[in-house]
Amino acid sequence: MPWRRGVPARRERALRRCAPGPLHDLLDGPVPARDTPLDELPLLAVDIETTGLDARHDRVLSVGWVPVDGGRVVLAGAGGGIVSDAGEVGRSATVHGLTDDALVGGAPLETVLAALLGALAGRVLLAHFARIETGFLGAACERFWGADLPVEVVDTFELERRALGGGWDAASDPAALRLWAARARYGLPVYRAHEALTDALACAELYLAQRAALAAASPETTTTLRHVVA
């Protein structure tokens, strides 16, 4: 992402702008250094399900997350929530399995987002095609606390692009970098798609497989956070 090198400066600006609350607490807390070894790197795999792809007009339906500590997925730290104020229930039931009752029984987006920010404290955000997560989460943070969400990101979509290198032709195989296609190349199991927590776990597992493959191919270039940030 073009703003990667500017994350610390953006973080400081956002900290000055944001209201007291979970975003301020996150931005004011520690972050992993760029030279943190991958075996020690704390990440949070995140997935959001939305009504569309435009953060300006579409809404978040659900959020799921699971921590990754070095080379280990920490299922005990998994969490998430359904958003009660998302709307557009009919299509959500078809695509995401979220019925009227599930949405009505959910929590406000601000509450779900606050829990996510708490889980993200001290960690790097991990996602597949992360611009969706950063776009929607950043817009929500602006709405509730007056500032964006400038965080370091590891994107398994970009790692897969790197792993395929010259072996991937975007014109002939545009779906090759999708989460489930990427998982299939590593022999990872098939899960039901479009469930936030399941997709977050799928992303976490894919990251570990990608990291092992990249390290085997070129261990001197995949040793620290700076080598995998998107």
Side-chain angles (χ1 to χ4, degrees), residues 27-59:
L27 297 176
D28 198 32
V31 295
R34 279 296 187 88
D35 59 355
T36 302
L38 295 187
D39 287 344
E40 303 173 9
L41 182 64
L43 303 104
L44 189 73
V46 176
D47 181 81
I48 63 173
E49 298 299 319
T50 66
T51 59
L53 300 179
D54 190 340
R56 296 170 300 177
H57 308 294
D58 296 310
R59 293 184 291 280

Side-chain angles (χ1 to χ4, degrees), residues 25-105:
D25 294 343
L26 172 68
L27 297 176
D28 198 32
V31 295
R34 279 296 187 88
D35 59 355
T36 302
L38 295 187
D39 287 344
E40 303 173 9
L41 182 64
L43 303 104
L44 189 73
V46 176
D47 181 81
I48 63 173
E49 298 299 319
T50 66
T51 59
L53 300 179
D54 190 340
R56 296 170 300 177
H57 308 294
D58 296 310
R59 293 184 291 280
V60 176
L61 293 167
S62 61
V63 182
W65 61 83
V66 59
V68 179
D69 287 344
R72 184 171 63 96
V73 177
V74 185
L75 293 177
I82 295 171
V83 176
S84 60
D85 49 355
E88 295 191 18
V89 175
R91 186 168 184 272
S92 302
T94 302
V95 176
H96 307 280
L98 297 176
T99 63
D100 291 3
D101 290 343
L103 288 169
V104 169

Side-chain angles (χ1 to χ4, degrees), residues 131-225:
R131 69 183 64 181
I132 299 296
E133 277 70 24
T134 56
F136 275 88
L137 296 176
C141 285
E142 285 274 8
R143 173 184 166 192
F144 295 124
W145 300 293
D148 194 5
L149 180 64
V151 292
E152 293 279 22
V153 174
V154 174
D155 190 340
T156 50
F157 180 94
E158 295 299 332
L159 288 181
E160 193 63 14
R161 187 199 302 273
R162 185 189 309 176
L164 291 178
W168 175 60
D169 182 352
S172 64
D173 196 6
L177 296 179
R178 290 180 179 171
L179 177 60
W180 304 106
R183 285 177 58 86
R185 278 190 290 276
Y186 297 93
L188 294 169
V190 176
Y191 300 143
R192 174 173 174 169
H194 302 301
E195 294 179 346
L197 182 54
T198 301
D199 285 2
L201 174 60
C203 175
E205 292 175 342
L206 175 60
Y207 163 75
L208 295 182
Q210 290 173 324
R211 205 190 82 181
L214 290 168
S218 183
E220 70 280 2
T221 63
T222 54
T223 57
T224 67
L225 172 59

